[in-house]
Amino acid sequence: MTAAHTPDGLRSDSGAVGAAGTGEDRADAVRLLEMEFGELFTHVRRMYAEMANRLSPGMLPGAYKVFTTIARRGETTLSSLAELLHADKGQISRTVRELEELRLVQRAPDPADGRSSLLTATESGLERWNAARAPHENSLLTALETWQIDDIRELTRLLHALSTSASPRG
């Protein structure tokens, strides 16, 4: 097995090491993964900023994240949203008001709790969101067009395992 060094001085083994690699191999592999995540996060932040601006000129990426979370969940409460995003309830409340003013989000009484409201994306908001993210969806399709579908599914499975702290082996 050969080892290559990255410009940052980290080793990258070519060939499969498996779970039996040394502690140094594992530490090097994790450092390389962290480095790639840093690059990916930078790309995603830039992409969120572009999509936020397409959704509503001047919208900040944080507001875009709040909107997309509401849209993906279908409906949610302010408290659930703040908990899910690990954010201050007051800040989430201000952001939701901004989204309401932009007619991206609407409130309705929560039938399960009269003191609370259910937040949902408006039809117009969903249409604008689809238009805002279409260019990036196409670029991801293009970036992955040479990948085998099984590789895409495997990456998805591994990312899910990582995000839920589950073993990738099941």
Side-chain angles (χ1 to χ4, degrees):
M1 180 177 338
T2 60
H5 290 272
T6 67
D8 293 333
L10 299 175
R11 250 181 16 172
S12 171
D13 292 333
S14 57
V17 173
T22 67
E24 183 181 333
D25 290 338
R26 182 173 295 278
D28 285 347
V30 170
R31 284 186 200 104
L32 287 169
L33 179 62
E34 285 177 316
M35 193 169 60
E36 288 303 320
F37 271 131
E39 293 298 317
L40 180 61
F41 293 160
T42 297
H43 177 75
V44 169
R45 277 192 299 274
R46 186 175 24 254
M47 184 176 66
Y48 261 57
E50 290 170 13
M51 288 188 293
N53 198 53
R54 275 198 296 274
L55 183 64
S56 181
M59 177 182 277
L60 296 174
Y64 181 79
K65 178 64 177 169
V66 170
F67 172 74
T68 61
T69 302
I70 293 168
R72 285 192 172 111
R73 292 183 62 93
E75 65 181 21
T76 189
T77 63
L78 193 64
S79 296
S80 295
L81 191 58
E83 185 177 318
L84 182 68
L85 295 175
H86 302 283
D88 175 70
K89 192 174 177 182
Q91 179 59 46
I92 294 294
S93 180
R94 286 186 293 278
T95 301
V96 167
R97 275 195 302 278
E98 291 172 22
L99 295 172
E100 286 178 299
E101 290 170 9
L102 293 169
R103 303 199 190 298
L104 298 170
V105 169
Q106 61 193 7
R107 292 179 199 246
D110 183 349
D113 181 356
R115 301 167 295 167
S116 185
S117 297
L118 292 176
L119 305 170
T120 58
T122 63
E123 191 63 38
S124 170
L126 293 173
E127 289 171 8
R128 290 167 58 189
W129 181 39
N130 287 329
R133 65 187 185 165
H136 286 290
E137 285 180 343
N138 291 335
S139 66
L140 187 56
L141 282 170
T142 300
L144 296 173
E145 75 183 354
T146 61
W147 287 42
Q148 297 292 317
I149 195 161
D150 288 343
D151 292 336
I152 297 168
R153 288 183 177 136
E154 179 67 0
L155 177 60
T156 302
R157 186 187 69 75
L158 290 170
L159 287 173
H160 178 75
L162 181 60
S163 69
T164 59
S165 298
S167 169
R169 304 274 179 227

